[in-house]
Amino acid sequence: MASATEFSVPRSALTPALYRVVARGRETADVVTLWLESLDGERLSFRSGQFNMLSALGVGEVAVSVSGSPSDPGPLRHTVRDVGAVTHALCSCDVGDVIGVRGPFGTDWGVTGNATPHDTVVVAGGIGLAPLRGAVEELAAAQREGAGRVFVLVGAREPDQMVFLDDLAEWEKAGVVVLITVDRPAPGWSGRVGLVTTLLANAGFDARHCRVLICGPEIMMRFTARALNELGVDLASIWVSLERNMQCGLGWCGHCQLGPLLLCRDGPVVNYLEASALMNERER
Amino acid sequence: MSVGASVVLRVDDLATLITRLSELGYEVKGPVVRAGAIVSGALSGVGDLPKGVHDEQGPGEYRIAHGDDDHLFDWAVGPSGWKPEFFPPHDELWRARVGDGHVELVEIPDEPRPLAVVGARPCEAAALGVLDRVFIDGAHRDTRYVERRENAFVAVVECSSPAATCFCDSMSSGPNIEVGFDLALTELDDDDGHRFLARVGSVRALAALEGVAFVLASAVDFSARDAVLEGARRRMVRHLDVDGLAGVLARNLEHPRWAEVAERCLSCGNCTLVCPTCFCSDVRDATDLDGDVVRQRTWSSCFSVDHSYLHGGAVRPTTQSRYRQWMTHKLSSWWDQFDTTGCVGCGRCVAWCPVGIDLTEEAAAIVRFDGVTSVTRPSVRSHL
């Protein structure tokens, strides 16, 4: 029997479209990239920084940022870290398996279709590079067309937790300034050791005229923004991607509240002027 | 007669109206007495309404009393409200059969009979308006909610007997109602007899009143209504000063009162269950032995630790942070998110809190010590 998707009309925003896993790649011990194609043949239109709700049928649904680029004509790309029941099921998918996809949801990095003559600095911590990967692809392409320079600064706890090593090499070849560091070295690591904030001062970007996109643990984003500010970067030029429990993506379930924000709707990408106070409040 | 007209219905006419709504295809529901409380239930006639029943409420207290009068709506609000009719506590959204390499996914239809509510309170109609902001007015419309809401007939009965927990007057959501109803009733009982002033709010109400005997309302009936509402306002002992409150709460997240209330709060979630505007839900999968998957949506509460779960743990692991989240959401961040209050002043959270925590008292305590962050707890308590 062919794969069938039947929907009553109108289709509820809580009903996913079905996608087949057409390729799968392991990034690190607990991070997997899935390439997905819609069973209906539809292409999902999104902007870099947005997320989808991915369903491992029978296990549940989680919010995962798109790790592909909007300009990539290939399959939809998601990079998932195995941290719970649903992400474990997603990471365990084989090629040919069918999962549910709803989206795209939320705010984006403001990069898609928005080239600037100024520098763009992308700062990622660990798996935080996944929601930024599409933006870097777009920025690198724009740089080739004469737009501003691109800097990609990545920190990982340990060398084997660094994702997208092939992409980092490609971007460097394409003229992007790529700097990576690890918190703790391991045998065979000859690169930098230190927090991602140690990369900022000597990266070479124009602190007075740049935009900065950050994704990583909240503490890493706070310290990065603080360090950037000390270098002269205006806080209003910094964007961060925030995370809370999300169960609908539609502004209905209430789980993703962060003070005045519903992060599925007003985030995940939030300007740091607004985010800073919220990130500094305990247990918010 | 047209929308905006006002008529007088006798109790017999109300009975005819209930029959008429049923004939029009509605499932008619209203307040009924069950298990020692006034709750929502099926109405087959006026006889099902809580005649002569009154409610006494206070922080952590609710009980009904039977009087010998024949008033049908001389009570405030019961625990259930009307939210469950429009936003079911448990809903099954779709079913999927997962086979070898193929999946069949079918939405589970939601086709209840259109609902007619006879006897919602003004605060409850206001609460539906608040839920509309969440489920209808945002970027995504919840089609299941929209359908239930659009098909429903809502007859509101204005409040004559607020409970000691009520503060709708402070929230501008009662005891009167001016918009957002199909039919607005006011129960009157004076020299002109026991009757209802009925204001027609929709074309649907005109259809419902066809064949119901009535007379057009006069100035006397409106004066009687004014007297009922004035009496209700006068009896409302609880108040919440909302002027500037959203801002005060937003800037007092480290106020010592949060720790103080957390010592009393059991984090049981009763307040969120009885609240007519709380809309949080969990979305989960259930599987049966055949391998079929059902995606379910179930009410959830910000008082549960799981509500804020992220990999690694909960964002709000303490009762203090969860109470703060609930109250600041109701009275402050709801405005940021939905441009309306999240509280309609029905007082249910006060009455049904097992330890009698009073939202109005907690808010006032923070306003009173606006900006305090480091005062030791005993000295704050001694001032309250």
Side-chain angles (χ1 to χ4, degrees):
Chain A
M1 196 187 100
S3 303
T5 315
E6 288 175 44
F7 294 114
S8 56
V9 177
R11 197 173 93 180
S12 163
L14 283 166
T15 306
L18 297 177
Y19 277 63
R20 190 180 299 281
V21 177
V22 294
R24 175 183 188 277
R26 182 163 288 283
E27 304 289 348
T28 71
D30 62 355
V31 176
V32 166
T33 293
L34 301 175
W35 282 265
L36 307 165
E37 273 179 1
S38 162
L39 298 189
D40 300 336
E42 277 178 37
R43 263 192 65 78
L44 193 113
S45 174
F46 64 93
R47 296 184 302 280
S48 292
Q50 290 189 293
F51 69 93
N52 284 315
M53 297 298 296
L54 302 185
S55 286
L57 300 171
V59 185
E61 198 176 36
V62 285
V64 182
S65 293
V66 184
S67 60
S69 163
S71 56
D72 181 352
L76 178 65
R77 179 171 175 150
H78 277 282
T79 301
V80 185
R81 183 161 163 230
D82 180 351
V83 291
V86 181
T87 52
H88 179 74
L90 290 170
C91 285
S92 307
C93 277
D94 289 322
V95 170
D97 284 353
V98 175
I99 68 168
V101 176
R102 296 191 295 122
F105 299 120
T107 56
D108 62 283
W109 292 113
V111 165
T112 306
N114 186 24
T116 158
H118 302 301
D119 294 347
T120 303
V121 184
V122 170
V123 189
I127 186 70
L129 186 55
L132 284 159
R133 191 187 161 281
V136 176
E137 294 270 299
E138 292 187 283
L139 290 163
Q143 183 182 255
R144 278 197 295 277
E145 303 292 318
R149 295 180 298 168
V150 185
F151 298 76
V152 175
L153 317 181
V154 186
R157 286 210 180 94
E158 291 169 10
D160 63 5
Q161 289 174 10
M162 187 74 69
V163 296
F164 306 144
L165 284 170
D166 294 347
D167 291 316
L168 291 166
E170 285 294 318
W171 295 334
E172 193 160 34
K173 257 189 264 170
V176 172
V177 175
V178 175
L179 300 172
I180 62 177
T181 182
V182 296
D183 298 355
R184 287 187 298 273
W189 177 259
S190 56
R192 291 177 198 80
V193 176
L195 299 176
V196 73
T197 45
T198 61
L199 300 175
L200 298 170
N202 299 315
F205 55 84
D206 177 0
R208 299 273 158 205
H209 303 95
C210 68
R211 61 179 171 189
V212 186
L213 319 177
I214 317 176
C215 185
E218 280 194 22
I219 188 167
M220 165 266 180
M221 296 196 283
R222 288 210 323 260
F223 279 94
T224 302
R226 185 190 294 178
L228 286 163
N229 197 225
E230 281 165 9
L231 291 172
V233 177
D234 185 0
L235 291 182
S237 302
I238 300 173
W239 278 266
V240 293
S241 182
L242 299 174
E243 185 183 19
R244 284 293 180 272
N245 185 311
M246 289 188 187
Q247 305 207 5
C248 75
L250 306 163
W252 300 344
C253 80
H255 286 273
C256 69
Q257 290 179 65
L258 175 56
L261 308 179
L262 289 164
L263 282 180
C264 71
R265 180 189 79 178
D266 308 315
V269 178
V270 180
N271 188 270
Y272 197 69
L273 273 189
E274 183 164 26
S276 61
L278 299 170
M279 290 166 73
N280 280 310
E281 284 153 6
R282 217 160 30 95
E283 298 185 0
R284 190 73 188 273
Chain B
M1 196 166 70
S2 59
V3 174
S6 299
V7 300
V8 174
L9 304 177
R10 298 282 158 180
V11 174
D12 287 348
D13 300 328
L14 190 62
T16 313
L17 174 68
I18 290 170
T19 307
R20 173 91 182 124
L21 286 167
S22 184
E23 284 167 4
L24 287 169
Y26 290 105
E27 182 173 11
V28 187
K29 292 192 175 181
V32 299
V33 174
R34 194 169 61 235
I38 297 171
V39 297
S40 58
L43 283 190
S44 58
V46 167
D48 294 325
L49 291 167
K51 183 163 115 178
V53 180
H54 312 283
D55 55 6
E56 290 164 16
Q57 304 191 48
E61 285 177 32
Y62 175 97
R63 60 171 47 84
I64 56 172
H66 296 266
D68 49 14
D69 59 285
D70 56 3
H71 295 167
L72 300 172
F73 297 96
D74 245 356
W75 44 273
V77 287
S80 63
W82 296 101
K83 180 175 77 173
E85 299 291 340
F86 298 94
F87 172 40
H90 179 83
D91 202 6
E92 303 202 328
L93 306 170
W94 50 259
R95 176 183 299 276
R97 173 152 292 184
V98 183
D100 204 16
H102 67 83
V103 173
E104 267 181 278
L105 193 152
V106 186
E107 284 191 336
I108 298 170
D110 179 40
E111 291 158 342
R113 268 174 72 191
L115 172 72
V117 178
V118 176
R121 264 35 260 244
C123 59
E124 296 177 315
L128 290 176
V130 173
L131 288 179
D132 291 350
R133 304 284 298 159
V134 179
F135 294 129
I136 301 182
D137 296 343
H140 306 279
R141 284 160 66 89
D142 181 349
T143 48
R144 298 169 90 88
Y145 176 88
V146 170
E147 208 148 305
R148 284 169 177 254
R149 191 79 170 94
E150 281 179 351
N151 291 336
F153 180 95
V154 179
V156 176
V157 181
E158 293 190 314
C159 265
S160 55
S161 301
T165 42
C166 293
F167 55 101
C168 61
D169 199 20
S170 301
M171 308 311 291
S172 306
S173 57
N176 60 314
I177 185 165
E178 307 304 331
V179 290
F181 55 81
D182 290 295
L183 200 61
L185 304 170
T186 317
E187 187 171 24
L188 308 173
D189 190 4
D190 54 18
D191 294 346
D192 292 313
H194 187 198
R195 66 200 189 281
F196 291 89
L197 170 66
R199 290 171 290 142
V200 177
S202 71
V203 175
R204 254 195 301 232
L206 288 176
L209 286 171
E210 263 175 42
V212 179
F214 56 78
V215 292
L216 288 174
S218 70
V220 173
D221 303 308
F222 277 96
S223 300
R225 175 196 176 215
D226 290 343
V228 165
L229 295 174
E230 201 196 313
R233 284 201 183 88
R234 210 173 41 237
R235 279 195 292 278
M236 213 162 317
V237 294
R238 209 163 231 90
H239 300 281
L240 181 64
D241 185 1
V242 294
D243 190 27
L245 179 60
V248 172
L249 293 176
R251 65 171 178 261
N252 280 283
L253 299 172
E254 296 300 327
H255 197 286
R257 184 73 183 195
W258 301 119
E260 202 275 330
V261 67
E263 287 183 0
R264 288 173 281 139
C265 175
L266 307 177
S267 204
C268 69
N270 254 19
C271 49
T272 59
L273 287 173
V274 295
C275 178
T277 67
C278 271
F279 62 84
C280 284
S281 63
D282 290 333
V283 182
R284 294 208 171 121
D285 283 6
T287 50
D288 61 26
L289 290 173
D290 295 333
D292 280 8
V293 177
V294 177
R295 177 63 53 86
Q296 306 174 331
R297 179 157 78 149
T298 308
W299 285 3
S300 98
S301 169
C302 56
F303 281 96
S304 78
V305 180
D306 282 355
H307 188 275
S308 65
Y309 179 81
L310 273 184
H311 56 88
V315 175
R316 293 186 284 271
T318 61
T319 298
Q320 177 175 344
S321 59
R322 297 201 288 278
Y323 186 87
R324 184 183 72 176
Q325 163 61 27
W326 177 73
M327 197 174 96
T328 56
H329 190 214
K330 286 285 154 210
L331 300 173
S332 178
S333 50
W334 210 292
W335 283 101
D336 301 299
Q337 294 168 5
F338 301 107
D339 199 23
T340 180
T341 174
C343 175
V344 295
C346 71
R348 286 186 179 90
C349 58
V350 184
W352 295 93
C353 174
V355 295
I357 294 172
D358 175 355
L359 173 87
T360 65
E361 186 187 331
E362 297 310 316
I366 285 170
V367 169
R368 208 160 144 205
F369 292 93
D370 182 9
V372 171
T373 54
S374 58
V375 172
T376 57
R377 210 170 299 147
S379 70
V380 171
R381 284 204 79 155
S382 67
H383 284 83
L384 296 174

